[in-house]
């Protein structure tokens, strides 16, 4: 164990998980009949609980002598699915907050990309529990996810431009993907690239902060 990187990363991960889960619970508690706030709460809770399944084994891997490779891999699989659901739900929150009717093609596209992503994640060829998971399948499953991210950015850039609490949601989503894509492509050969997951997580903290302001 390398104490110096392990300690700050462990503290960061735990603080993030507590912040996300507590924020999700509070949003649900304070939704007061507002559908989009309830959706925001479910999204945030899903984000925190999903991320816990891979961040907790990661922290345990730093501080104990056990082998958490399989648990970490399964956690990443679950997180990949919950993150996809996060982006499906954020479209429903957008539609409710801005009273958007119709746009069935947009909603269908969100669902199609999300389902393709989830199905690809479930293939055993991904090698989730392996110490060296498949790079090819890592790229394949993230193609529909990246397209879903681009669609989310376009929709929020268009809808929230005059919405003070959420007008920069598009930027947070954009940056989260820009930090994430190099990890998918290069982390196996250049492990230090994996550190980009920290600023990626910071973008989700930013999203939660914006969501909480919108839910007041």
């Amino acid at each position: 164990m390398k104490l110096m990187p392990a300690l700050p990363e462990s503290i960061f991960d735990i603080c993030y998980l507590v912040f996300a889960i507590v924020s999700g619970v509070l949003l649900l508690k304070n939704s007061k009949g507002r559908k989009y706030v309830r959706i925001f709460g479910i999204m945030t809770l899903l984000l925190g609980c999903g991320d816990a399944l891979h961040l907790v084994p990661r922290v345990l891997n730093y501080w104990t002598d056990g082998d958490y490779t399989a648990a970490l891999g399964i956690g990443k699989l679950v997180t990949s699915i919950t993150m996809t659901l996060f982006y499906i739900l954020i479209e429903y929150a957008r539609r409710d907050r801005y009273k958007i009717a119709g746009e069935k093609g947009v909603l269908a596209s969100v669902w199609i990309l999300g389902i393709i992503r989830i199905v690809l994640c479930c293939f055993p060829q991904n090698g989730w529990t392996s110490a060296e998971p498949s790079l090819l399948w890592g790229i394949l499953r993230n193609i529909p996810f990246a397209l879903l991210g681009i669609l989310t950015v376009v929709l929020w850039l268009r809808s929230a431009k005059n919405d003070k609490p959420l007008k920069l949601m598009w930027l947070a989503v954009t940056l989260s993907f820009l930090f994430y894509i190099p990890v998918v492509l290069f982390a196996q050969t250049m492990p230090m690239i994996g550190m980009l997951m920290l600023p990626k997580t910071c973008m989700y903290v930013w999203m939660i902060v914006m969501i909480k302001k919108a839910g007041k």
Side-chain angles (χ1 to χ4, degrees), residues 77-175:
L77 166 60
V78 175
T79 299
S80 296
I81 294 172
T82 55
M83 189 63 69
T84 307
L85 295 174
F86 177 92
Y87 282 102
I88 292 174
L89 287 172
I90 202 173
E91 169 57 14
Y92 281 94
R94 182 189 74 92
R95 295 167 73 88
D96 186 72
R97 183 169 175 87
Y98 304 116
K99 308 303 179 187
I100 295 170
E103 293 192 359
K104 293 182 179 179
V106 170
L107 191 58
S109 298
V110 167
W111 272 104
I112 289 169
L113 291 171
I115 290 171
I116 292 172
R117 154 81 166 177
I118 291 172
V119 169
L120 288 173
C121 285
C122 293
F123 275 78
Q125 288 87 343
N126 286 283
W128 290 106
T129 58
S130 170
E132 296 183 2
S134 171
L135 175 60
L136 173 60
W137 278 84
I139 294 171
L140 289 175
R141 68 176 179 262
N142 279 295
I143 290 173
F145 189 49
L147 293 174
L148 180 57
I150 292 169
L151 181 58
T152 301
V153 167
V154 171
L155 293 172
W156 279 87
L157 183 59
R158 184 182 70 185
S159 298
K161 57 187 176 181
N162 296 318
D163 186 349
K164 187 176 179 180
L166 297 170
K167 67 179 180 180
L168 294 179
M169 179 65 76
W170 70 271
L171 181 58
V173 174
T174 300
L175 291 174

Side-chain angles (χ1 to χ4, degrees), residues 18-28 40-41 44-45 208 212:
V18 171
F19 174 69
I21 293 171
V22 170
S23 296
V25 171
L26 291 177
L27 281 164
L28 287 172
F40 280 152
T44 306
L45 198 56
I208 294 171
K212 289 180 71 177

